[in-house]
């Protein structure tokens, strides 16, 4: 069977699904349904969807392997790019609607607030992955170079989860749930790698 | 930088006519919110609903929508999400309700909430600043804390006042989570507790306190972060030593005993320099002692507020 290429129906479906959370936010904005503190709602929803998509992206390789469905790998790129999109909007919402371009405050947040520092680090690393998620970039980097660069995701996703853990005031349940899922997904890779070595 | 800071007013600052005019202003502002909030404006207008009270202290800032005041609460006994208390606090039985006064005092006693409700009630419009960086303006109704303290005649060795929230595992679904150690406890230094601004609130917006806001009786200390204003109080004790406080116990480096609103002392994890007033878009600068420096700064003269945060 020839590998499928391009914008196939399943990819279109994935893109459509990934758009739903942001459309839902826009809808709620116009319905005046973002709650008492709408700015907080928007910043948090964009952040949490960024994290969810990053984790989902991390889950595709193990899933494809365990289910023996190699074609699932093709979903990594749209999901990864949408994750980047949500994180970018998340950062923009923080700069524009939360801080309203108060650059001095934003800069001191980045330096002084560990949760912002880690979030920012994750975002900066993520930019490189997004910029190299196109066929031309992959060709230029070569398969090995590209794969090595994209291993950064193993650092980025934990940084995102750490960012979440640090910002929650007291109830760490949800950050711990994400941390546990990420630990399993990364643990599986370590296990695979060790298994192949022997 | 321009900080627009209208002074807070007490009864003595204004003639009766002023009071009338200012009330009209506040009503007009409430209505000006427009679309979808008409119900709230109507609520704001009935300054004396079920409870009749004399307005004795207020700010001219627009009170926050009733819907927000009663729908966005931190009350961990009913869940850690700010939308949970409004859903689950109705399970709390608030009658009969008594508050025990005990510890180092000449007249320990148990006070019935009905007795307190029959006393002279005052309306106070205060700013409330949450440690999380948001704020509201709330028209409380209550009695000065000092009046209740005086009933018990604290001994001169009583240097602190400790407060305790009810603990009802059957009614409070949040206490099965051991996030904080229950019951919730708080404390003030005696001179802070005797400050005229410290209020025991029994109502807001002219009506009895809704459960999610700490019914039937809660503390309001507007120059401190919101978590100091302990809710649903069952006990007030006089002590010689500084009493434990819930958030300090949870994270001593993050939440001090004093927890005065202070834009210069950041929370270790986030800045306290500015706040978002619920209902407004842009953040506004946070004021020292939440704008009540004239009333309370003397309590902390000579203290290093970075050390005693
Ligand atoms: C990979 C990057 C990032 C991920 C995965 C991420 C994820 C998250 C998550 C899951 C939340 C909590 C949502 C909730 O409570 O429901 C959050 C909140 C937040 N994030 Fe991020 N974030 C990232 C980067 C950033 C960056 C770069 C900034 C700013 C420079 C930032 C600023 C914030 C702020 C201000 C909040 C809200 C804090 C609050 O409301 O108390 N994040 N983020």
């Amino acid at each position: 069977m020839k590998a499928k290429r391009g914008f196939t129906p399943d990819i279109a479906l994935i893109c459509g699904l990934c758009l739903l959370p942001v459309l839902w936010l826009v809808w709620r904005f116009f319905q005046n349904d973002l709650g008492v503190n709408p700015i907080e709602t928007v910043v948090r929803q964009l952040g949490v969807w960024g994290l969810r998509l990053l984790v989902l992206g991390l889950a595709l390789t193990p899933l494809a392997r365990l289910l023996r469905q190699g074609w699932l790998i093709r979903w990594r790129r749209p999901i990864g790019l949408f994750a980047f999109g949500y994180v970018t909007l998340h950062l923009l919402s923080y700069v524009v609607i939360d801080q309203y371009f108060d650059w001095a405050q934003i800069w001191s947040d980045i330096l002084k607030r560990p949760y912002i520092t880690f979030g920012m680090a994750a975002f900066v690393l993520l930019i490189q992955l997004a910029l190299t998620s196109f066929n031309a970039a992959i060709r230029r980097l070569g398969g090995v170079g590209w794969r090595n660069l994209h291993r950064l995701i193993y650092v980025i996703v934990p940084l995102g989860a750490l960012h979440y853990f640090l910002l929650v005031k007291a109830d760490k349940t949800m950050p711990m749930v994400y941390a546990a899922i990420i630990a399993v997904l990364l643990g599986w890779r370590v296990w695979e790698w060790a298994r192949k070595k022997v | 930088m321009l900080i627009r800071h209208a002074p807070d007013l007490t009864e003595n600052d204004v003639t009766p006519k002023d009071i009338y005019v200012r009330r009209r202003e506040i009503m007009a502002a409430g209505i000006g919110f427009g679309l979808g909030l008409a119900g709230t404006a109507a609520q704001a207008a009935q300054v004396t609903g079920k409870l009749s009270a004399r307005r004795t202290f207020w700010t001219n800032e627009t009170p926050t929508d009733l819907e927000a005041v009663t729908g966005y609460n931190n009350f961990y006994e009913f869940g850690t999400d700010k939308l949970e208390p409004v859903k689950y606090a109705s399970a709390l039985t608030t009658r009969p309700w008594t508050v025990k006064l005990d510890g180092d005092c000449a007249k320990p006693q148990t006070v019935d909430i009905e007795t307190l409700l029959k006393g002279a009630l005052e309306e106070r419009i205060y700013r409330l600043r949450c440690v999380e960086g948001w704020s509201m303006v709330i028209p409380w109704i209550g009695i000065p804390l000092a009046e209740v303290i005086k009933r018990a005649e604290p001994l001169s060795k009583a240097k602190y006042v400790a407060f305790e929230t009810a603990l009802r595992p059957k009614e409070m679904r949040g206490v099965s989570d051991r996030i904080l150690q229950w019951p919730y406890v708080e404390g003030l230094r005696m001179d802070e507790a005797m400050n005229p601004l410290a209020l025991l609130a029994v109502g807001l917006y002219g009506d009895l306190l809704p459960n999610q806001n700490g019914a039937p009786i809660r503390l309001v200390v507007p120059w401190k972060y919101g978590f100091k204003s302990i809710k649903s109080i069952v006990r007030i004790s006089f002590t010689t030593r500084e009493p434990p406080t819930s958030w300090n116990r949870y994270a001593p480096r993050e939440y001090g005993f004093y927890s005065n609103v202070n834009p210069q002392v950041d929370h270790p994890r986030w800045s306290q320099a500015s706040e978002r007033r619920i209902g407004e878009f842009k953040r506004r600068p946070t004021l020292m002692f939440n704008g009540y420096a004239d009333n309370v700064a003397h309590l902390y003269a000579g203290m290093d507020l970075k050390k005693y945060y």
Side-chain angles (χ1 to χ4, degrees), chain A residues 39-41 43-52 54 83 87 90-92 94-95 98-99 106 109-110 115-124 126 156-157 159-161 163-164 167-168 178, chain B residues 132 270:
Chain A
I39 294 174
E40 182 191 69
T41 308
V43 174
R44 294 193 162 196
Q45 283 295 310
L46 292 170
V48 87
W49 278 104
L51 184 60
R52 282 176 189 156
L54 284 173
V87 173
H90 175 59
L91 172 61
L92 281 176
Y94 160 78
V95 170
D98 186 22
Q99 298 295 334
I106 292 169
D109 269 359
I110 293 173
Y115 87 90
I116 301 269
T117 315
F118 290 122
M120 204 61 207
F123 175 71
V124 169
L126 203 54
I156 293 169
V157 185
L159 280 174
H163 161 76
Y164 187 17
L167 71 90
V168 166
Y178 281 99
Chain B
E132 296 168 352
W270 56 82

Side-chain angles (χ1 to χ4, degrees), chain A residues 116-178:
Chain A
I116 301 269
T117 315
F118 290 122
M120 204 61 207
F123 175 71
V124 169
L125 295 175
L126 203 54
I127 295 174
Q128 307 180 57
L129 304 201
L131 289 180
T132 55
S133 285
F134 299 91
N135 292 339
I138 298 173
R139 248 175 271 130
R140 215 177 34 240
L141 284 166
V144 177
W146 183 87
R147 206 171 324 146
N148 282 338
L149 179 64
H150 279 245
R151 288 208 170 110
L152 274 177
I153 200 69
Y154 304 148
V155 181
I156 293 169
V157 185
L159 280 174
L162 181 62
H163 161 76
Y164 187 17
F165 183 86
L166 290 175
L167 71 90
V168 166
K169 194 168 66 160
D171 187 354
K172 306 282 189 190
T173 320
M174 281 320 287
M176 292 305 284
V177 168
Y178 281 99

Side-chain angles (χ1 to χ4, degrees), chain B residues 159-235:
Chain B
K159 294 286 186 281
Y160 294 90
V161 186
F163 302 84
E164 192 180 306
T165 296
L167 175 56
R168 308 250 187 89
K170 286 212 182 86
E171 300 179 357
M172 298 169 152
R173 72 202 301 273
V175 301
S176 54
D177 280 339
R178 290 294 145 89
I179 290 157
L180 296 176
Q181 200 178 317
W182 312 111
Y184 194 91
V185 288
E186 258 305 337
L188 295 173
R189 223 169 49 194
M190 183 60 86
D191 58 342
E192 297 179 310
M194 296 301 286
N195 185 279
L197 278 191
L199 188 75
L200 280 174
V202 294
L204 60 79
Y205 266 116
D207 216 331
L208 289 170
L209 273 184
N211 284 5
Q212 63 271 26
N213 295 86
I217 185 164
R218 66 168 291 167
L219 181 65
V220 183
V221 274
W223 69 98
K224 293 177 178 283
Y225 292 118
F227 65 86
K228 293 291 294 181
S229 291
I230 181 171
K231 301 187 175 88
S232 303
I233 300 170
V234 290
R235 186 171 170 203

Side-chain angles (χ1 to χ4, degrees), chain B residues 7-11 14 19 22 55-60 125:
Chain B
D8 291 301
L9 304 167
T10 65
E11 218 175 4
V14 287
I19 296 183
R22 283 175 207 283
R55 182 171 290 177
T56 55
F57 190 98
W58 65 94
T59 162
N60 285 331
I125 306 183

Side-chain angles (χ1 to χ4, degrees), chain B residues 21-78:
Chain B
V21 171
R22 283 175 207 283
R23 282 192 187 198
R24 288 290 299 269
E25 269 172 17
I26 287 168
M27 285 166 59
I31 290 158
F33 266 138
L35 269 175
L37 302 173
T40 312
Q43 297 275 7
Q46 35 168 290
V47 171
T48 50
K50 295 208 176 112
L51 296 177
S52 76
R54 209 160 42 100
R55 182 171 290 177
T56 55
F57 190 98
W58 65 94
T59 162
N60 285 331
E61 293 159 279
T62 311
T64 306
D65 282 343
L66 178 68
E67 219 176 289
V69 172
T70 59
Y72 188 76
N73 311 91
N74 275 318
F75 198 169
Y76 276 31
E77 283 83 341
F78 298 101

